[in-house]
Structures are given as C-alpha cells and as structure tokens.
Amino acid sequence: MTRRAIRVFWGRRPESVQAVATRWRQTLEQVEFLLPEAVGGSWQQIHSSGPTTAVTVDQLAQVLENAQAAEDWSDRLGIGLRLVSGSGPDWGLELSGLAGGEPEIILQSMVLAVSTPDTAEVPEAELLRMLAAVWEPDFGDVTDDNILDALEDESDYRVGDPVIGRVGYLSAARAGAIPDGLRAEIAALPDGGVLLQIAAAGDVDAVVRAYERLRGAGALDPLPRPLDRAVF
C-alpha cells in the first residue's frame, strides 16, 4: 500500500459556515470525480469521541454548524472537519480541513490523505490543482513521509513553514520569487499561482534541492506572525 498527502495551506481568512460548506462540497465532488475507484460510495465523519457517522454533501452546512456550536470551537482557529471513505482494504481517503477562522499562529488547511495499492495510478497534480482552485491557498504540495523526513533532517524544515513536495503549488506573489533555472515543470494557473512538477515519486533528493533553492530565493518565506492575511 502507498500513502501520500495532497495538502494546501493559507493564513487568516474568516468566512461564513455557508462559504466553507460550499468549498467542502466542491472538494468532495471533485475527489469523487478524480478518484472514483477510491471513494466507497459514502463519506463518514470522524468525531473526537464516539463512532463515525455518515455524511452527504447536502448535510455539509449542518455538520459545519454543529462543529461551530461545539463547546471547544474557537472563531480564531476556524471550523474543523474530518471525513473518510474507502472502497476496500487497500483504498482509503481522509479529508481533514480547518477553515473559516482568524488564527494568529496556526495556518488553516485542507489535507487529502490517499492510500492505494502500490501499482495504482493517482492523479496527484490534478488533485493539488483542484484543491488550489477550491481553497485559494498560499502554498501546497504532494508529499509523503520520506519527503518530509528528508526535509526535516537535511534542510531544517519545520512543520508550519511553507514547503513543496514532488508537486508544489505557490500563490501568485510566491510564484514571482521562483529563481531562474529551477529544475521543475512550471504551469501557470488562472489565479496567478503556479503548479510545479518537481520530481517523480521516490526522487527525494530532487525535492530537497528544489526546496532549498526556492527557500533561498524567498519563494518560501513564512507568512508574518501574528497572521494578518491569507496569502503571501
């Protein structure tokens, strides 16, 4: 089994429950379109305690309102939601999002974790492109544990810092700082950001080299703290 994560991150962006629910609906619909073999026909909500419960796209606004009404909810952090689906023992999806808030330190995010048979084809770049279009993030990546371990061990990467994986997304201002000669296939997106095809699966060294070049050029500078904007 192979596991990878497709992730996008952004800073302070307060939104209504309905706006967040619309983004969630678009995400689920696109995941079902791009990964039909992985979706088990339904979505289950993971709770902090107790069993999972079934969720349909039409119930998203109510589910998010319930999360907002919980005792531990904070408008500073945003609305959190975790959904899972799977079509068999070797296929699994988990979507984990935190959105709609005004955090001062912690980034808001949407993370799609995909577990598949080792030989399965996964449209990683298209999934990242989709998350970037739906959530309008600051940066994003396609990554796995080997990449993250290498960045932490070799490049002093710390959780919460802007980062790229074997595929990366950079918002418009970050895209303007990409250095000349970067070894990556760069595709411009309608929002002014770019999608970077950096390395094939397993080529961790290429990801580390690209990360270090982008960081050195300022394309991966962190957002200012306390957070005062959604993107760089």
Side-chain angles (χ1 to χ4, degrees):
M1 181 183 293
T2 298
R3 186 179 186 278
R4 79 268 288 162
I6 300 97
R7 317 181 301 171
V8 290
F9 301 88
W10 62 97
R12 179 174 179 165
R13 187 174 67 211
E15 293 184 294
S16 68
V17 167
Q18 191 57 54
V20 175
T22 297
R23 294 184 193 269
W24 264 103
R25 173 188 284 270
Q26 293 171 343
T27 301
L28 296 187
E29 290 174 345
Q30 287 299 306
V31 168
E32 291 174 357
F33 175 74
L34 292 168
L35 281 174
E37 63 272 49
V39 179
S42 65
W43 293 95
Q44 301 287 319
Q45 181 184 2
I46 297 178
H47 302 275
S48 57
S49 61
T52 62
T53 54
V55 174
T56 69
V57 292
D58 292 330
Q59 296 171 325
L60 286 169
Q62 185 60 57
V63 168
L64 292 167
E65 286 180 2
N66 293 344
Q68 191 181 51
E71 290 184 1
D72 60 352
W73 179 76
S74 166
D75 59 352
R76 306 300 297 180
L77 292 180
I79 309 169
L81 181 62
R82 290 176 65 196
L83 301 180
V84 294
S85 186
S87 59
D90 293 332
W91 291 91
L93 299 174
E94 179 177 330
L95 274 162
S96 179
L98 182 67
E102 302 180 71
E104 295 185 350
I105 303 296
I106 299 172
L107 294 173
Q108 301 187 94
S109 62
M110 174 59 64
V111 179
L112 170 59
V114 184
S115 298
T116 67
D118 293 338
T119 57
E121 294 288 334
V122 175
E124 297 177 337
E126 287 307 310
L127 287 165
L128 180 56
R129 186 194 302 266
M130 178 273 293
L131 291 183
V134 172
W135 292 95
E136 303 175 273
D138 186 34
F139 62 93
D141 62 6
V142 176
T143 193
D144 55 42
D145 289 342
N146 291 334
I147 290 173
L148 294 175
D149 288 346
L151 291 175
E152 290 178 359
D153 293 343
E154 301 176 30
S155 301
D156 294 324
Y157 162 70
R158 295 293 179 265
V159 174
D161 292 344
V163 66
I164 48 91
R166 57 177 172 269
V167 186
Y169 167 81
L170 297 178
S171 57
R174 294 189 184 280
I178 294 175
D180 293 336
L182 181 73
R183 292 190 176 183
E185 181 181 328
I186 304 174
L189 301 181
D191 65 353
V194 295
L195 198 71
L196 305 171
Q197 296 270 7
I198 293 167
D203 192 353
V204 176
D205 288 343
V207 177
V208 171
R209 291 194 299 270
Y211 170 79
E212 291 176 345
R213 285 213 64 197
L214 287 165
R215 187 178 62 180
L220 296 176
D221 285 351
L223 288 170
R225 268 41 173 211
L227 294 166
D228 62 359
R229 68 197 73 172
V231 299
F232 190 63

